[in-house]
Amino acid sequence: MENTHSPIEQLRSVVRQLWDELSPAERAVCQFLISCPPEQILFSSAQELGGASGTSNATVVRTMQRLGFGGLPGLKRALAAEFSSAVPPDVRLQQRITHVGHDLSAIWTRVFDEARERLEHSHRLWDQQAFQRAVEVLAGAGSTLVYGVGASEPAARHLALKLGRRGHRARSTGATGFALADELLPLAHGDAVVVFQPGRRLREIEVLVDRAKAVGAGVVLISDELGDAFADRVDAALSAPHTPTGITAEPLTGIIVADALLLAIDSLDENRSVEHSHQLSALREQLLGPQESRARRSAPAG
């Protein structure tokens, strides 16, 4: 893809190059996108853009794939990078509110539309070999350190907690600066490190990956933009597209990727997962006490 000064110029350049290969519906999508304000693309769903261009949401997604953006979220990500650097956060929030409006039904739909777009985009980016390698690294690890800072920290905590419930030693951290050194010190050969980081190349991640490789620990990166940058330094890089608008939670796709890893690990050692789930339930029963345990058992399943 040609490197131009802005995402919209990049879009126009690619459209010019591929125009003769596009179908009439794809051309209609392109004509609308290159003529409307970038903010409208950023805050619109594929269905809305399909309606505005006289096509469909499927045509919008297919057109973005043809143009090399991987889907609408790919174009939105490119637009969001420039938008975020040029527009202050409070102004972005105001524009987001203005675009969504005050209709509660529209707000509900908008959140689910963006969540669906992100998850579908993540699904399309699935790399079977990388996923298999990530599962192997985690399933065979003596201990797993899961790292996520800021908005990525909930995904890191989620994976570490669920690994522990399956009988795998795991801990999470969001430490930065000197505090991270204490977390890195116990890393040993045969351990695993999982890093949740959408796009910003933090110094902490560089040091974390270097430390892991130095001691012989496997590394799994779950990211939107850093996969290529760390491809030769990690064992597996899995895609988790971040939010281009801030409408949905940053760790959404990372948590879903973590859930896929957890289910795959269950499939490799079903007995271990089931046994530890049984032990967890037994401990919970002890903590609840006899009366609460009986009440919970008699309550409808939920």
Side-chain angles (χ1 to χ4, degrees):
M1 186 176 295
E2 185 177 328
N3 184 21
T4 49
H5 295 295
S6 73
I8 288 297
E9 291 176 354
Q10 183 182 48
L11 175 62
R12 289 171 179 159
S13 175
V14 178
V15 168
R16 286 194 298 268
Q17 293 175 30
L18 300 179
W19 183 259
D20 292 339
E21 303 174 22
L22 301 176
S23 69
E26 291 168 342
R27 290 180 181 182
V29 171
C30 292
Q31 286 176 326
F32 176 77
L33 292 178
I34 63 178
S35 63
C36 71
E39 293 82 1
Q40 184 174 351
I41 301 173
L42 190 61
F43 293 116
S44 294
S45 66
Q47 184 174 358
E48 289 174 324
L49 293 174
S53 61
T55 60
S56 67
N57 59 335
T59 302
V60 171
V61 174
R62 185 174 63 251
T63 303
M64 292 300 96
Q65 291 174 330
R66 288 285 303 275
L67 298 178
F69 288 98
L72 181 58
L75 176 59
K76 286 187 175 184
R77 184 181 70 183
L79 292 171
E82 184 177 58
F83 187 63
S84 299
S85 63
V87 182
D90 58 323
V91 176
R92 296 201 302 270
L93 175 59
Q94 182 62 59
Q95 291 184 350
R96 183 162 68 239
I97 295 171
T98 299
H99 182 82
V100 172
H102 301 284
D103 181 86
L104 297 183
S105 177
I107 290 171
W108 179 267
T109 299
R110 178 55 51 83
V111 172
F112 279 86
D113 281 345
E114 180 174 297
R116 187 181 303 109
E117 285 181 1
R118 290 178 63 195
L119 292 176
E120 289 176 349
H121 189 45
S122 184
H123 190 199
R124 288 193 298 271
L125 294 174
W126 183 63
D127 182 327
Q128 181 176 354
Q129 290 185 340
F131 183 73
Q132 180 176 342
R133 180 57 184 148
V135 172
E136 292 171 351
V137 168
L138 292 179
S143 179
T144 299
L145 173 64
V146 192
Y147 185 75
V149 63
S152 297
E153 196 165 357
R157 290 200 304 267
H158 172 75
L159 179 57
L161 175 67
K162 292 301 185 71
L163 282 172
R165 289 179 178 177
R166 286 157 170 80
H168 297 263
R169 293 176 55 200
R171 56 194 173 92
S172 67
T173 182
T176 58
F178 283 0
L180 182 58
D182 293 292
E183 303 287 354
L184 300 184
L185 198 59
L187 277 179
H189 181 79
D191 285 351
V193 172
V194 181
V195 178
F196 289 88
Q197 178 63 14
R200 189 177 177 188
R201 191 164 177 168
L202 301 174
R203 175 63 179 165
E204 283 83 354
I205 295 176
E206 301 277 356
V207 174
L208 176 55
V209 171
D210 287 346
R211 172 65 178 177
K213 303 315 290 183
V215 301
V219 182
V220 176
L221 173 66
I222 301 174
S223 179
D224 186 0
E225 303 175 17
L226 298 180
D228 290 341
F230 284 87
D232 60 344
R233 300 169 61 188
V234 302
D235 295 273
L238 305 179
S239 295
H242 63 62
T243 171
T245 64
I247 289 175
T248 51
E250 185 67 77
L252 172 65
T253 50
I255 289 175
I256 298 300
V257 170
D259 285 338
L261 290 170
L262 291 164
L263 187 57
I265 290 170
D266 287 340
S267 73
L268 292 179
D269 195 344
E270 180 180 347
N271 291 336
R272 178 178 186 171
S273 294
V274 171
E275 172 59 26
H276 280 82
S277 178
H278 174 73
Q279 292 182 31
L280 179 65
S281 296
L283 288 169
R284 287 172 170 172
E285 293 285 337
Q286 294 177 41
L287 292 167
L288 285 172
Q291 186 172 354
E292 290 185 64
S293 295
R294 284 195 299 272
R296 173 164 292 191
R297 284 196 296 270
S298 63

